[in-house]
Amino acid sequence: MASAHGEPRRALVTGGAGFVGSHLCERLLSEGYSVVCLDDLSTGSVSNVGPLLMEKGFELVQADVTSPLEVSGDMDEVYHLASPASPADFESRAIQILRAGSEGTRHALELARDTGARFLLASTSEVYGDPLVHPQHEEYLGNVDPVGIRGVYDEAKRYAEALTTAYSRRYGVHTRIARIFNTYGPLMRPDDGRMVPNFFGQVLAGEPLTVYGDGGQTRSIQYVDDLVEGLVRLMRSGEPRPVNLGNPEEHTVKEIAQMILDLCGGAGGLVYRPLPEGDPVRRCPDIGRARGSLGWAPRVPAREGLERTLLSLGQPGS
Ligand code: NAD
Ligand code: UDP
């Protein structure tokens, strides 16, 4: 794909060596983009982008978005994904999360402003907190405890959305905001601490799956290829408002655990652990805006996506 200056389009992906970012880098490269992947490798890894390092047009820059970004040359698109994302990190990486959402977002926006690039913020369903409206549509303002354990992540992303909108209003930067719901797939860090990698790690080790609380809380899990398609469509759309990207197929955590046990023929069963503070009771996206503005809807049902994830782990069943 060529830009106005006749060269291949050039995109910056902050957090590009992470789970979602590495899939996004691969997708953009496959469309002929040149891609700068900027990552401090704190929760991501070089191995996620290992195969991309051989490709012409791919560049990995190890840097922290909380410092001003030193990326030279033209830029057409900035995808800002850099931030720790696992609830398991909300205490240990609290300050990093707040800094990535605030200073990190400002630096990525400044780069977009300087180069005239479009800017997309990877925001989150966590801006809705423990929602009192179900399913969650974009007009819902949320139920967030700013001093709760999850507050560092939720408020960092809410601030990032406000800053992004301010750069659009004040400086005319073309901005997009994706509110991403729980996403899973190949290349999630095995010790990331989130539900899907935990469950696969446990079942493949022959251990019981750790269900938090009674497992009755719900999540709507989205396969990563569907998310990447949504991100790319959103970037290219004319939709400046926040857009939910998630799979409305809602399951209890216990049902998801059971699906993984069934897929793997796991005999270890379930073991119950305390529910973390502030763990949302229900979560499911209303994707009416994404359908209308982007012509997007997820295509991969949970069972199929979990099966693909299992295959990527190269374990029994592959
Ligand atoms: P991830 O941890 O795999 O990826 C995050 C990447 O950002 C990592 O490579 C990490 O090293 C990098 N990073 C963190 N802090 C940085 C910093 N200060 N400077 C430079 N790089 C930094 O997580 P992910 O699941 O791929 O999430 C990517 C983005 O999508 C995050 O912004 C996250 O908040 C958002 N998101 C993800 C989900 C999901 O379910 N995966 C849901 C909602 C939102
Ligand atoms: N969860 C669980 N066992 C685990 C990890 C997570 O039961 O080993 C639950 C967690 O309490 C939450 C859901 O699974 O209700 C999704 O958790 P995750 O950390 O993936 O993301 P969240 O949706 O909480 O941001």
Tab-separated table of all heavy atoms in Angstrom, residues 87 126 150 182 193-195 198-199 210-212 217 219 253 275-276 279 283, ligand 2:
chain	number	residue	atom	x	y	z
A	87	PRO	N	-4.299	-7.869	34.482
A	87	PRO	CA	-4.656	-7.540	35.868
A	87	PRO	C	-3.625	-8.052	36.879
A	87	PRO	O	-3.478	-7.481	37.962
A	87	PRO	CB	-6.013	-8.237	36.055
A	87	PRO	CG	-6.597	-8.283	34.682
A	87	PRO	CD	-5.423	-8.504	33.760
A	126	GLU	N	-12.204	-1.802	30.060
A	126	GLU	CA	-12.054	-1.433	31.475
A	126	GLU	C	-12.454	0.018	31.744
A	126	GLU	O	-12.622	0.396	32.893
A	126	GLU	CB	-10.606	-1.661	31.925
A	126	GLU	CG	-10.274	-3.107	32.247
A	126	GLU	CD	-10.804	-3.557	33.612
A	126	GLU	OE1	-10.925	-2.722	34.525
A	126	GLU	OE2	-11.120	-4.750	33.737
A	150	ARG	N	-7.748	-1.862	40.413
A	150	ARG	CA	-7.800	-1.764	38.957
A	150	ARG	C	-7.786	-0.321	38.464
A	150	ARG	O	-7.699	-0.066	37.258
A	150	ARG	CB	-9.051	-2.488	38.423
A	150	ARG	CG	-9.067	-3.964	38.748
A	150	ARG	CD	-10.364	-4.624	38.302
A	150	ARG	NE	-10.347	-5.028	36.928
A	150	ARG	CZ	-10.095	-6.265	36.495
A	150	ARG	NH1	-9.852	-7.233	37.357
A	150	ARG	NH2	-10.112	-6.558	35.221
A	182	ASN	N	-11.790	-8.362	26.114
A	182	ASN	CA	-10.858	-9.488	26.323
A	182	ASN	C	-10.509	-10.211	25.019
A	182	ASN	O	-11.393	-10.744	24.352
A	182	ASN	CB	-11.471	-10.519	27.280
A	182	ASN	CG	-11.678	-9.961	28.668
A	182	ASN	OD1	-12.508	-9.068	28.866
A	182	ASN	ND2	-10.938	-10.474	29.639
A	193	GLY	N	-0.632	-14.109	33.224
A	193	GLY	CA	-1.530	-14.015	34.387
A	193	GLY	C	-2.991	-13.880	34.015
A	193	GLY	O	-3.863	-13.980	34.874
A	194	ARG	N	-3.279	-13.630	32.717
A	194	ARG	CA	-4.682	-13.512	32.327
A	194	ARG	C	-5.317	-14.897	32.167
A	194	ARG	O	-4.629	-15.909	32.130
A	194	ARG	CB	-4.803	-12.670	31.046
A	194	ARG	CG	-4.655	-11.186	31.350
A	194	ARG	CD	-4.736	-10.309	30.123
A	194	ARG	NE	-3.464	-10.224	29.419
A	194	ARG	CZ	-3.216	-9.421	28.380
A	194	ARG	NH1	-4.156	-8.637	27.933
A	194	ARG	NH2	-2.029	-9.402	27.794
A	195	MET	N	-6.630	-14.882	32.061
A	195	MET	CA	-7.410	-16.120	32.126
A	195	MET	C	-6.977	-17.171	31.088
A	195	MET	O	-6.669	-18.321	31.460
A	195	MET	CB	-8.894	-15.771	31.940
A	195	MET	CG	-9.806	-16.962	31.797
A	195	MET	SD	-11.532	-16.450	31.646
A	195	MET	CE	-11.523	-15.545	30.110
A	198	ASN	N	-3.430	-18.565	31.483
A	198	ASN	CA	-3.382	-19.346	32.728
A	198	ASN	C	-4.012	-20.717	32.519
A	198	ASN	O	-3.435	-21.745	32.877
A	198	ASN	CB	-4.168	-18.636	33.837
A	198	ASN	CG	-3.287	-17.697	34.648
A	198	ASN	OD1	-2.150	-17.433	34.288
A	198	ASN	ND2	-3.826	-17.199	35.754
A	199	PHE	N	-5.220	-20.725	31.951
A	199	PHE	CA	-5.947	-21.992	31.810
A	199	PHE	C	-5.197	-22.964	30.902
A	199	PHE	O	-5.077	-24.151	31.213
A	199	PHE	CB	-7.366	-21.751	31.283
A	199	PHE	CG	-8.314	-21.122	32.296
A	199	PHE	CD1	-9.570	-20.659	31.904
A	199	PHE	CD2	-7.974	-21.021	33.640
A	199	PHE	CE1	-10.460	-20.097	32.831
A	199	PHE	CE2	-8.850	-20.460	34.574
A	199	PHE	CZ	-10.091	-19.996	34.163
A	210	THR	N	-7.404	-22.767	37.708
A	210	THR	CA	-7.718	-21.887	38.842
A	210	THR	C	-8.860	-20.945	38.479
A	210	THR	O	-8.659	-19.958	37.773
A	210	THR	CB	-6.493	-21.041	39.236
A	210	THR	OG1	-6.021	-20.357	38.062
A	210	THR	CG2	-5.374	-21.904	39.816
A	211	VAL	N	-10.058	-21.248	38.940
A	211	VAL	CA	-11.211	-20.373	38.696
A	211	VAL	C	-11.327	-19.422	39.881
A	211	VAL	O	-11.374	-19.859	41.038
A	211	VAL	CB	-12.488	-21.220	38.541
A	211	VAL	CG1	-13.724	-20.330	38.523
A	211	VAL	CG2	-12.409	-22.050	37.271
A	212	TYR	N	-11.357	-18.109	39.586
A	212	TYR	CA	-11.453	-17.120	40.659
A	212	TYR	C	-12.921	-16.884	41.015
A	212	TYR	O	-13.774	-16.789	40.129
A	212	TYR	CB	-10.794	-15.801	40.252
A	212	TYR	CG	-9.310	-15.907	39.912
A	212	TYR	CD1	-8.677	-14.912	39.163
A	212	TYR	CD2	-8.527	-16.984	40.350
A	212	TYR	CE1	-7.316	-14.991	38.858
A	212	TYR	CE2	-7.171	-17.067	40.041
A	212	TYR	CZ	-6.575	-16.068	39.289
A	212	TYR	OH	-5.229	-16.154	38.982
A	217	GLN	N	-18.816	-15.012	37.046
A	217	GLN	CA	-18.625	-13.735	36.335
A	217	GLN	C	-18.468	-14.024	34.834
A	217	GLN	O	-17.979	-15.093	34.469
A	217	GLN	CB	-17.411	-12.966	36.885
A	217	GLN	CG	-16.037	-13.551	36.644
A	217	GLN	CD	-15.601	-14.573	37.694
A	217	GLN	OE1	-16.419	-15.258	38.290
A	217	GLN	NE2	-14.295	-14.702	37.898
A	219	ARG	N	-17.331	-13.053	30.740
A	219	ARG	CA	-16.454	-12.331	29.833
A	219	ARG	C	-16.871	-12.707	28.410
A	219	ARG	O	-17.461	-13.761	28.179
A	219	ARG	CB	-14.979	-12.714	30.032
A	219	ARG	CG	-14.380	-12.241	31.362
A	219	ARG	CD	-14.312	-10.734	31.499
A	219	ARG	NE	-13.637	-10.307	32.714
A	219	ARG	CZ	-14.250	-10.111	33.887
A	219	ARG	NH1	-15.550	-10.326	34.018
A	219	ARG	NH2	-13.550	-9.694	34.935
A	253	VAL	N	-16.895	-17.470	33.296
A	253	VAL	CA	-15.494	-17.918	33.361
A	253	VAL	C	-15.454	-19.446	33.518
A	253	VAL	O	-14.607	-20.131	32.924
A	253	VAL	CB	-14.776	-17.190	34.523
A	253	VAL	CG1	-13.476	-17.866	34.904
A	253	VAL	CG2	-14.548	-15.722	34.147
A	275	LEU	N	-11.729	-14.388	44.527
A	275	LEU	CA	-11.960	-13.422	43.446
A	275	LEU	C	-11.116	-12.170	43.708
A	275	LEU	O	-11.204	-11.594	44.803
A	275	LEU	CB	-13.447	-13.049	43.412
A	275	LEU	CG	-13.926	-12.222	42.222
A	275	LEU	CD1	-13.860	-13.034	40.932
A	275	LEU	CD2	-15.340	-11.703	42.470
A	276	PRO	N	-10.306	-11.717	42.722
A	276	PRO	CA	-9.523	-10.486	42.941
A	276	PRO	C	-10.445	-9.286	43.173
A	276	PRO	O	-11.555	-9.235	42.639
A	276	PRO	CB	-8.751	-10.324	41.634
A	276	PRO	CG	-8.767	-11.659	40.974
A	276	PRO	CD	-10.036	-12.325	41.408
A	279	ASP	N	-12.990	-7.267	40.508
A	279	ASP	CA	-13.164	-8.074	39.290
A	279	ASP	C	-14.589	-7.856	38.741
A	279	ASP	O	-15.569	-8.175	39.406
A	279	ASP	CB	-12.962	-9.549	39.658
A	279	ASP	CG	-12.642	-10.420	38.464
A	279	ASP	OD1	-13.580	-10.749	37.713
A	279	ASP	OD2	-11.471	-10.786	38.300
A	283	ARG	N	-19.325	-8.673	31.580
A	283	ARG	CA	-18.733	-7.823	30.534
A	283	ARG	C	-19.121	-8.377	29.169
A	283	ARG	O	-18.887	-9.552	28.880
A	283	ARG	CB	-17.217	-7.788	30.682
A	283	ARG	CG	-16.583	-6.796	29.728
A	283	ARG	CD	-15.088	-6.780	29.795
A	283	ARG	NE	-14.574	-6.174	31.011
A	283	ARG	CZ	-13.398	-6.494	31.525
A	283	ARG	NH1	-12.662	-7.427	30.985
A	283	ARG	NH2	-12.977	-5.884	32.604
B	2	UDP	N1	-9.647	-15.584	35.987
B	2	UDP	C1	-9.767	-16.833	36.584
B	2	UDP	N2	-8.644	-17.589	36.711
B	2	UDP	C2	-7.416	-17.181	36.290
B	2	UDP	C3	-7.306	-15.903	35.672
B	2	UDP	C4	-8.439	-15.137	35.555
B	2	UDP	O1	-10.854	-17.240	36.987
B	2	UDP	O2	-6.445	-17.958	36.438
B	2	UDP	C5	-10.869	-14.773	35.840
B	2	UDP	C6	-10.766	-13.361	36.390
B	2	UDP	O3	-11.129	-13.344	37.764
B	2	UDP	C7	-11.764	-12.622	35.507
B	2	UDP	C8	-11.683	-13.363	34.173
B	2	UDP	O4	-11.100	-14.635	34.452
B	2	UDP	O5	-13.062	-12.738	36.019
B	2	UDP	C9	-10.850	-12.657	33.128
B	2	UDP	O6	-9.626	-12.329	33.723
B	2	UDP	P1	-8.406	-11.673	32.931
B	2	UDP	O7	-7.293	-11.530	33.921
B	2	UDP	O8	-8.130	-12.426	31.693
B	2	UDP	O9	-8.929	-10.237	32.474
B	2	UDP	P2	-10.021	-9.211	33.042
B	2	UDP	O10	-11.232	-9.450	32.234
B	2	UDP	O11	-10.243	-9.461	34.498
B	2	UDP	O12	-9.415	-7.887	32.794
